[in-house]
């Protein structure tokens, strides 16, 4: 059974499967992070991992590393090849420096609760969990700094809207979430399958979706989402670096409410969202 230390929070989509060879790193998460995440552990054996992923359905598999072992990188690469990347994210915790690229994100030593929350938050599909984590990360703005008019906080009497960001690039997910979280509730998905899983149990007010993704492209994903009865008229904005007229015509068939070129300009992003959502 998973160890659950956060009984008063919605953690349905906030599960983390811990594996690896560094017990002290695994202990850190159980001792310090159970109010943010629901954990289960697994050995590094392929069959054990497959079984735990099947039964537990984690959104993140986190490998806790002993980077003194010269064979550790080979073990990680073997695990990475067998993971269902259309269903989960893969992270590495406990490395001394950025020496391993086979991961969606890495958490370097020394481990710190605040920095761990900040690194992992963009990879959670639970808006409730993200809100808890990012609220604790908020830092008061220096009085000498100019206020960012594109991302002003909402008045207390206006309910926050929810935005789902679908993009295969973890860096894009992280940047967009950092832009948006002060004003909107945000969830992320790396592909259509992750988005469908999220929308089975959640609602969203707007979708930001990458046009060019491996496997199922953005227009197809959006078309499938709109087959849901509640999502037939859901607004969407395509994020794209593609300017080819044929591609644009294909995207237009999905009837998006707009397009934004990558890299996404923050001012244009907020302007377009405000145009659609009203604030």
């Amino acid at each position: 059974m998973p160890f659950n230390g956060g009984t008063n929070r919605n953690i349905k989509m906030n599960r983390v499967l811990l594996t690896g060879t560094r017990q002290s790193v695994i202990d850190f998460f159980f001792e310090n992070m159970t109010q943010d995440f629901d954990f289960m552990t697994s050995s590094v054996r392929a069959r054990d991992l497959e079984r735990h992923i099947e039964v537990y359905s984690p959104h993140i598999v986190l490998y806790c590393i002993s980077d003194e072992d010269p064979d550790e990188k080979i073990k990680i690469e073997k695990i990475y090849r067998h993971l269902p990347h259309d269903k989960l994210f893969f992270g590495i915790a406990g490395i001394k420096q950025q020496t391993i690229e086979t991961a969606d994100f890495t958490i370097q030593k020394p481990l710190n609760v605040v920095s761990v929350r900040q690194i992992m938050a963009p990879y959670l599909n639970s808006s409730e969990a993200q809100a808890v984590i990012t609220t604790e990360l908020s830092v008061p703005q220096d009085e000498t700094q100019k206020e960012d008019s594109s991302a002003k906080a909402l008045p207390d009497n206006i309910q926050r809207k929810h935005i789902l960001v679908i993009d295969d690039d973890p860096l894009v997910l992280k940047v967009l979430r950092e832009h948006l979280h002060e004003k909107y509730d945000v969830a992320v998905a790396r592909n259509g399958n992750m988005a469908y899983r999220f929308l089975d149990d959640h609602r969203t007010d707007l979708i930001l979706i990458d046009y060019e993704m491996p496997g199922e492209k953005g227009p197809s994903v959006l078309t499938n989402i709109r087959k849901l009865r509640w999502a037939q008229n859901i607004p969407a904005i395509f994020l794209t670096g593609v300017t080819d007229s044929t591609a644009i015509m294909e995207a237009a068939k999905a009837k998006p409410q707009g397009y934004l070129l990558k890299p996404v300009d923050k001012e244009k992003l907020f302007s377009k969202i405000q145009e659609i959502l009203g604030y």
Side-chain angles (χ1 to χ4, degrees):
M1 292 293 292
F3 181 90
N4 177 6
T7 57
N8 62 334
R9 293 180 181 172
N10 182 352
I11 53 174
K12 183 174 182 181
M13 295 289 287
N14 199 20
R15 294 187 288 264
V16 179
L17 181 62
L18 298 171
T19 188
T21 54
R22 175 60 74 183
Q23 186 61 46
S24 61
V25 177
I26 293 174
D27 290 343
F28 167 86
F29 287 97
F30 277 103
E31 291 168 3
N32 298 282
M33 307 294 296
T34 54
Q35 292 299 309
D36 299 301
F37 306 99
D38 189 56
F39 295 112
M40 176 179 276
T41 59
S42 172
S43 76
V44 297
R45 293 177 56 198
R47 288 185 179 179
D48 287 346
L49 278 170
E50 289 174 2
R51 178 60 178 161
H52 279 100
I53 290 171
E54 178 184 354
V55 172
Y56 186 52
S57 297
H59 194 63
I60 295 173
V61 170
L62 191 60
Y63 190 97
C64 300
I65 191 172
S66 173
D67 52 7
E68 291 83 1
D69 183 347
D71 296 326
E72 197 78 295
K73 187 173 182 179
I74 297 174
K75 297 175 186 175
I76 291 171
E77 288 174 349
K78 287 182 179 179
I79 289 173
Y80 185 82
R81 285 199 298 269
H82 289 90
L83 291 175
H85 295 288
D86 61 330
K87 298 180 179 179
L88 53 79
F89 293 102
F90 179 62
I92 298 172
I95 62 175
K96 291 180 179 177
Q97 55 186 344
Q98 187 68 42
T99 57
I100 298 176
E101 298 179 355
T102 310
D104 295 306
F105 64 91
T106 58
I107 303 171
Q108 298 183 35
K109 293 191 290 190
L111 298 180
N112 174 279
V113 170
V114 173
S115 63
V116 169
R117 287 172 176 160
Q118 188 174 33
I119 291 168
M120 293 180 69
Y123 302 93
L124 303 176
N125 260 6
S126 166
S127 57
E128 295 89 350
Q130 290 174 339
V132 169
I133 290 173
T134 54
T135 295
E136 297 182 26
L137 292 174
S138 298
V139 179
Q141 187 182 44
D142 191 308
E143 292 181 358
T144 61
Q145 291 181 325
K146 292 183 179 180
E147 184 179 3
D148 184 351
S149 60
S150 67
K152 289 181 180 178
L154 286 175
D156 292 338
N157 62 341
I158 297 180
Q159 185 176 357
R160 288 168 67 92
K161 295 289 188 179
H162 184 279
I163 296 175
L164 173 62
V165 185
I166 308 171
D167 197 297
D168 64 295
D169 187 338
L171 180 59
V172 172
L173 296 179
K174 183 176 186 295
V175 169
L176 289 177
R177 195 181 181 290
E178 288 176 349
H179 285 345
L180 298 169
H181 78 83
E182 289 184 7
K183 191 170 182 179
Y184 305 99
D185 291 332
V186 185
V188 300
R190 198 169 55 190
N191 50 49
N193 285 338
M194 281 186 167
Y196 304 148
R197 287 177 61 197
F198 175 80
L199 294 171
D200 280 342
D201 299 294
H202 297 77
R203 297 291 183 268
T204 192
D205 298 295
L206 173 68
I207 295 174
L208 302 180
I209 183 168
D210 184 23
Y211 171 82
E212 192 72 33
M213 292 187 289
E216 191 177 17
K217 291 186 178 181
S220 175
V221 173
L222 181 57
T223 299
N224 286 333
I225 288 173
R226 284 178 168 165
K227 291 178 181 177
L228 298 170
R229 180 173 297 179
W230 68 267
Q232 290 177 356
N233 298 310
I234 193 168
I237 301 171
F238 275 117
L239 312 176
T240 180
V242 177
T243 57
D244 178 73
S245 59
T246 302
I248 291 174
M249 289 178 64
E250 180 186 351
K253 294 177 182 178
K255 298 180 180 179
Q257 277 59 49
Y259 303 85
L260 290 173
L261 291 177
K262 291 182 174 181
V264 176
D265 179 84
K266 186 176 180 180
E267 292 282 347
K268 291 180 179 178
L269 172 66
F270 275 96
S271 176
K272 194 64 183 177
I273 292 174
Q274 289 166 3
E275 176 187 326
I276 295 170
L277 295 181
Y279 63 81

